[in-house]
Amino acid sequence: MNKSEVVVSIQNVDKIYKTGDEVVYALKDINLDIYQEEYMSIMGPSGSGKSTLFNTIGALDKPSNGQVLIGDVCLPDLSSSELSYLRCKHIGYVFQAYNLIPSLTARENVALPLTFLGKSEEEANARAEEILKFVELGHRMDNTPGKMSGGQQQRVAIARALANDPSILLADEPTANLDLKTGELIIEIFKNLTVEFGVTVISATHDHKMLAISDRILWVKAGQIDKIEDVKDMDISVGSIG
């Protein structure tokens, strides 16, 4: 992890919802730096603000107050089209639902984001094949999602998220719908991402195996950062965190 370079900086961020006269803080006074090549996991119960923080980091949700910077770009200052370009160019997303296009092959699904950025079909397919081999799906490039297992579809989704060589990868419970063996393969892929691609990985997860390969764990409670812990100082095993 390169602690000399901050990739994401969250400064005095609030997210406020109003219902009639009631004001609810989904996030309140969040300050956080995330570093290049870091693997950070975000933990918190339902309603804690974990998902709101995750979406704010990923430019999917706009804060009510404060700043979110990716590099030296302040996200709240961007227009909708500028935000779309930033998300496409610099951020990869992996979700529980694989969100693959059923009629497209694995290669075509992975190549699609590249065509949005103006890459030629030849360039897009070459990159798609490279990334699919990295996630151990070189033999499945011509299969559509319906002919693949859940774990294979999730690996295609990871490959698609990496297609544009993003600096940040956001993963929302990426192993939640997978069996133990497949989940372990996905975890191994994430473990290698910071080393192989220099990607900063930010994951919302309750999977203790994923927590164990993180650099830091951020705990969210009642819309605020409760604590941040270095994994090297913790004892994490399946079923317990000490």
Side-chain angles (χ1 to χ4, degrees), residues 3-242:
K3 282 204 171 185
S4 65
E5 184 170 344
V6 175
V7 175
V8 179
S9 183
I10 301 173
Q11 302 172 3
N12 308 117
V13 160
D14 298 329
K15 181 63 178 180
I16 301 170
Y17 294 99
K18 294 183 179 179
T19 305
D21 295 330
E22 185 179 6
V23 176
V24 177
Y25 280 83
L27 297 175
K28 187 171 184 179
D29 196 26
I30 299 291
N31 288 277
L32 174 68
D33 286 338
I34 303 173
Y35 300 95
Q36 182 181 0
E37 299 179 13
E38 178 171 20
Y39 191 127
M40 173 171 277
S41 288
I42 302 175
M43 289 277 287
S46 177
S48 65
K50 176 185 67 176
S51 295
T52 304
L53 177 58
F54 183 85
N55 290 337
T56 300
I57 293 171
L60 297 172
D61 206 350
K62 189 174 183 178
S64 303
N65 302 305
Q67 295 185 326
V68 180
L69 291 95
I70 293 182
D72 58 358
V73 177
C74 184
L75 302 190
D77 292 342
L78 300 182
S79 66
S80 296
S81 59
E82 289 170 333
L83 273 174
S84 296
Y85 179 80
L86 180 137
R87 285 192 292 260
C88 188
K89 180 66 177 175
H90 296 290
I91 305 173
Y93 302 89
V94 179
F95 300 105
Q96 289 184 51
Y98 317 124
N99 297 329
L100 301 175
I101 298 175
S103 60
L104 300 184
T105 66
R107 182 191 289 106
E108 290 167 339
N109 267 286
V110 176
L112 191 60
L114 294 165
T115 63
F116 292 154
L117 289 177
K119 299 290 185 182
S120 69
E121 183 178 351
E122 183 178 358
E123 289 176 306
N125 284 334
R127 174 63 174 167
E129 291 173 10
E130 176 189 1
I131 300 297
L132 284 167
K133 288 175 183 176
F134 170 75
V135 298
E136 301 182 23
L137 284 177
H139 62 300
R140 290 285 195 171
M141 293 186 190
D142 295 318
N143 289 122
T144 56
K147 296 181 179 179
M148 291 185 281
S149 67
Q152 289 169 340
Q153 291 183 60
Q154 186 63 295
R155 279 185 277 162
V156 174
I158 293 170
R160 181 183 58 192
L162 293 172
N164 289 337
D165 195 22
S167 56
I168 300 165
L169 183 71
L170 289 167
D172 187 10
E173 299 283 2
T175 61
N177 297 329
L178 305 176
D179 60 69
L180 180 62
K181 183 177 179 181
T182 305
E184 288 176 345
L185 177 57
I186 298 298
I187 289 166
E188 187 64 26
I189 290 171
F190 276 94
K191 185 177 180 180
N192 291 332
L193 283 177
T194 57
V195 177
E196 298 263 353
F197 292 93
V199 177
T200 297
V201 178
I202 303 166
S203 175
T205 184
H206 290 94
D207 189 329
H208 287 195
K209 296 184 297 303
M210 291 202 78
L211 296 177
I213 65 170
S214 307
D215 294 304
R216 291 190 294 167
I217 300 175
L218 183 153
W219 305 80
V220 182
K221 183 179 180 181
Q224 296 180 295
I225 295 175
D226 185 40
K227 59 184 175 179
I228 302 176
E229 295 183 289
D230 288 325
V231 170
K232 60 181 175 57
D233 298 328
M234 302 172 65
D235 180 17
I236 299 176
S237 59
V238 175
S240 67
I241 302 176

